[in-house]
Amino acid sequence: MRGNIADPRYHEFRVLLSTCLIGLPLMLLFPIPLYFLDKPIAGYFINNALVIITLLCARYFGHYRIPMTTTALVTYFLIYDWIRDSGLIFSSNVSLLHMYLLCAIWADKKYGWWAIFSNLAVFGFIYHQTLYTHPVKSDAMYALIMNAMITIFFGGFLAYLQMDQERDRIKIKSLQDKKITMLDEAVKQRTEQLNAMREAMATDFHDETGNMLSAITRQASLLKQKYSEGDEARPIVDSIIKNSRKLYSASKDFLWQLHHDSDDPQELCQYLTAYGQQYYNQFDIAFSSVSANCPPVQFAPTAALNIIYIFKEAMTNVVKHAAAQEVVFNMYGEEKQITYQLRDNGHWKVADTSQPHYGLGNMERRCKKNGFTLSVSSTQEGTCITVTIPIQITKEK
């Protein structure tokens, strides 16, 4: 309940526990002067023990009414015992009943005000007992009336303040809930507008740029047929065709990332799986994918595209350097992170330290820039490339 302030019992438990935790050390102050005045102090320790039992019941069983009611009744008996031995209605210990009233209303906003009536009943009983021991009945009546008036005024005033605060709290919470609902609706509408805009951009880009790249490729292919094998212009045409196809392939990643489903880690896994199957089929390398359930979250806007680039580079490196026969792509989600993993069974070539390695460097830079964690581990069984995305840089759906 500590992490769920929306729970209907949260405020009630919070007030009770804070009252008990504040009251425990304060109650331990009373026995100190009473000990030196040779007055009984056992009742204070009994009361503290009952408060601790109430806390334990709330902590381990989620209920506190029975132990708290028991504590209230026992407290009345303890206070009466002190009052009886020190002058009954004329005792200075009668002030403890007013203190008890304050604690009851403070600790229990729902039923604490009933202590007003129980206090009046106890005052009536004490007055009745005083009549048998005190000869001047008018003084006892005056003490009774004054204590009863203090209880009614003091208790009524506190109860009204508590109820008024509770009404204000409920009203504020209602306004907050209404505001949150309005903001949720506004965010939902805005998200729908952005998704529609992203899909429209993807469609327009595909229709214009994609078709133009395809036309360039077709025209370059026709031009290539007009040149013989040894013609100097043929390599240039081949380069145009290659770059056009490469740009078209890169644009497909960009278009997919614009689609709102690309924010879903599971959708991203399926996209990379489809790419891996198509890519490794060219090299006769077995490829498979395993994905486990992940938390219902969405990636940050640029995260998906960077993950695509990272693993496309990793898949390419497997073909260039590993001589692998089998590659497995994994995705699994944990409480605080989502992990993508590419594992192969190849034996990587020893890196030439005299030459720069842009592929791995780019992967590291992308991970660092986006807050990912990159891990590369090699064994005799193969190499594993792992990218971990913390949950804090994603958002709940």
Side-chain angles (χ1 to χ4, degrees), residues 334-349:
E334 299 177 351
E335 183 180 357
K336 296 183 179 180
Q337 61 189 29
I338 295 172
T339 301
Y340 293 95
Q341 192 175 78
L342 188 72
R343 186 185 298 273
D344 66 74
N345 66 346
H347 299 283
W348 284 56
K349 300 175 185 177

Side-chain angles (χ1 to χ4, degrees), residues 1 15 39 83 123 197 206 277-278 299 322 377 389 391:
M1 192 183 298
V15 172
K39 299 294 183 181
I83 292 173
F123 279 129
M197 186 182 301
H206 178 270
Q277 290 171 343
Q278 181 180 9
F299 284 126
S377 60
I389 299 93
I391 290 296

Side-chain angles (χ1 to χ4, degrees), residues 351-357:
D352 184 359
T353 56
S354 64
Q355 299 293 329
H357 299 278

Side-chain angles (χ1 to χ4, degrees), residues 174-188:
S174 176
L175 292 173
Q176 289 175 338
D177 292 341
K178 184 178 179 180
K179 189 68 175 179
I180 290 172
T181 302
M182 292 172 62
L183 289 174
D184 287 343
E185 287 295 325
V187 170
K188 182 179 178 182

Side-chain angles (χ1 to χ4, degrees), residues 8 96 121-122 146 170 190 249 256 295 318-319 326 337 368 389:
L96 292 174
V122 172
M146 290 303 297
I170 294 173
R190 186 60 176 168
S249 176
W256 182 85
V318 171
V319 174
E326 183 179 0
Q337 61 189 29
K368 184 177 180 180
I389 299 93

Side-chain angles (χ1 to χ4, degrees), residues 51-294:
V51 172
I52 293 173
I53 292 172
T54 301
L55 288 172
L56 293 175
C57 288
R59 170 65 179 83
Y60 293 103
F61 303 106
H63 298 285
Y64 63 88
R65 288 288 175 202
I66 294 177
M68 191 170 72
T69 303
T70 303
T71 301
L73 294 174
V74 172
T75 302
Y76 268 125
F77 280 106
L78 293 173
I79 293 175
Y80 174 73
D81 189 53
W82 298 328
I83 292 173
R84 182 192 60 194
D85 296 338
S86 57
L88 290 172
I89 198 69
F90 303 107
S91 172
S92 58
N93 285 327
V94 168
S95 60
L96 292 174
L97 287 173
H98 302 304
M99 187 183 301
Y100 170 84
L101 177 65
L102 169 64
C103 294
I105 296 176
W106 184 15
D108 192 345
K109 295 179 180 294
K110 195 172 183 180
Y111 299 108
W113 60 274
W114 281 96
I116 297 173
F117 301 102
S118 58
N119 260 23
L120 292 175
V122 172
F123 279 129
F125 179 75
I126 295 172
Y127 170 75
H128 180 75
Q129 295 297 107
T130 305
L131 295 180
Y132 293 102
T133 59
H134 200 278
V136 184
K137 295 181 174 55
S138 59
D139 292 344
M141 176 60 71
Y142 175 76
L144 171 65
I145 292 174
M146 290 303 297
N147 280 300
M149 293 297 293
I150 291 173
T151 288
I152 293 172
F153 175 80
F154 187 57
F157 181 71
L158 287 176
Y160 171 77
L161 287 180
Q162 292 287 68
M163 288 187 290
D164 190 57
Q165 289 179 359
E166 184 67 12
R167 283 195 301 267
D168 289 342
R169 187 187 69 82
I170 294 173
K171 184 177 180 180
I172 292 172
K173 186 177 182 303
S174 176
L175 292 173
Q176 289 175 338
D177 292 341
K178 184 178 179 180
K179 189 68 175 179
I180 290 172
T181 302
M182 292 172 62
L183 289 174
D184 287 343
E185 287 295 325
V187 170
K188 182 179 178 182
Q189 292 178 4
R190 186 60 176 168
T191 302
E192 291 175 352
Q193 292 174 357
L194 290 174
N195 288 337
M197 186 182 301
R198 290 169 65 178
E199 291 183 1
M201 289 173 59
T203 302
D204 293 343
F205 187 91
H206 178 270
D207 291 344
E208 296 294 332
T209 308
N211 291 336
M212 188 169 291
L213 287 172
S214 297
I216 292 171
T217 303
R218 288 194 302 270
Q219 291 169 359
S221 298
L222 292 173
L223 184 62
K224 179 181 177 181
Q225 295 175 6
K226 296 184 178 181
Y227 294 102
S228 60
E229 237 5 272
D231 200 305
E232 293 181 357
R234 182 153 184 165
I236 298 175
V237 176
D238 287 337
S239 178
I240 292 173
I241 295 173
K242 181 181 178 182
N243 290 334
S244 179
R245 287 174 177 171
K246 187 176 180 181
L247 181 57
Y248 182 72
S249 176
S251 69
K252 288 172 63 178
D253 295 335
F254 177 71
L255 291 173
W256 182 85
Q257 190 267 340
L258 280 178
H259 196 273
H260 66 275
D261 286 344
S262 64
D263 297 339
D264 189 332
Q266 197 75 41
E267 289 286 336
L268 177 59
C269 178
Q270 294 174 6
Y271 182 81
L272 287 171
T273 298
Y275 174 82
Q277 290 171 343
Q278 181 180 9
Y279 180 72
Y280 285 118
N281 280 342
Q282 305 174 67
F283 307 99
D284 199 22
I285 297 175
F287 178 80
S288 60
S289 175
V290 178
S291 63
N293 291 330
C294 65

Side-chain angles (χ1 to χ4, degrees), residues 2-21:
R2 181 185 304 167
N4 182 19
I5 61 175
D7 191 293
R9 294 191 301 166
Y10 173 85
H11 186 68
E12 185 179 346
F13 264 80
R14 182 176 178 276
V15 172
L16 168 74
L17 295 178
S18 61
T19 303
C20 291
L21 292 174

